[in-house]
Structure formats: C-alpha cells, structure tokens
C-alpha cells in the first residue's frame, strides 16, 4: 500500500508543479489553490509512505515520478523540446526507480 501511495504522491507532485507554473507567481487564484491542495496531499502521501519505505528510496522515487511526469507534461502540452538525449536521460531515471524498488 505504501508504494501505491508513494506513486500517487509523485503524480501529485507533477500536478502541483504544473499548477505552480500556471499560477503566475500566485497571481491566479484557481491554479494557486490547486497548487496548495496538491502540495499538501503530495507531502502527506510521502510522509505516509516513509513509515515503511526507506527514506532515501522513498524520496528518490517520489522525486523521480514527479520529475518524469512534469517533463512528459511539458513535452506533450507545453511544447518543451523532445530529443533522443532527453528521452534517454528520462529513461535512465525510470531505470533508477526500478532498481531502487528491486533492491528494497
């Protein structure tokens, strides 16, 4: 259960990162509220998961899921550049997360 919560919390990290950018420095109310709610939920989920998942592994997975989600969102929705090196390095992050889960 902790791993599922950790993954959902990582996805929420993506949501709050996107909402933070969309808030334009907290000048737009709706994205600012979405940011606040999702950052709290994301941190609460991380905190819950860290009861059973080791700190280094849990934090690395949480950050990796958020990083991957944010990068993919940027490429698909915001026109961020897509290149072979970029995709290679993102796949290396995935490999690291799978490796951490395997040795846990």
């Amino acid at each position: 259960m902790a791993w599922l919560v950790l993954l959902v919390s990582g996805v929420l990290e993506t949501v709050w990162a996107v909402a933070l950018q969309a808030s334009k420095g907290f000048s737009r109310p709706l994205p600012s509220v979405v940011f606040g709610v999702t950052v709290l939920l994301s941190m609460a989920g991380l905190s819950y998961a860290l009861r059973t998942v080791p700190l280094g592994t849990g934090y690395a997975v949480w950050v990796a899921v958020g990083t991957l989600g944010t990068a993919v969102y940027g490429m698909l929705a915001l026109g961020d550049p897509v290149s072979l090196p970029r995709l290679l390095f993102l796949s290396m992050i995935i490999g690291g997360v799978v490796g951490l889960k395997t040795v846990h």
Side-chain angles (χ1 to χ4, degrees):
M1 180 66 166
W3 282 97
L4 178 61
V5 171
L6 184 60
L7 293 175
V8 170
S9 296
V11 171
L12 288 172
E13 185 185 3
T14 297
V15 175
W16 69 250
V18 171
L20 179 62
Q21 189 262 346
S23 76
K24 306 290 185 199
F26 299 113
S27 65
R28 299 178 62 209
L30 182 59
S32 298
V33 170
V34 170
F35 165 79
V37 170
T38 55
V39 77
L40 288 173
L41 290 173
S42 181
M43 292 289 178
L46 175 62
S47 175
Y48 172 83
L50 291 179
R51 292 178 183 176
T52 56
V53 176
L55 173 64
T57 302
Y59 185 72
V61 169
W62 180 73
V63 169
V65 171
T67 300
L68 289 167
T70 304
V72 169
Y73 178 84
M75 288 185 281
L76 295 176
L78 303 177
D80 287 357
V82 179
S83 66
L84 188 56
R86 186 177 179 122
L87 295 174
L88 174 67
F89 291 123
L90 289 172
S91 68
M92 290 171 72
I93 293 172
I94 294 169
V97 169
V98 170
L100 285 171
K101 172 62 174 129
T102 302
V103 299
H104 170 68

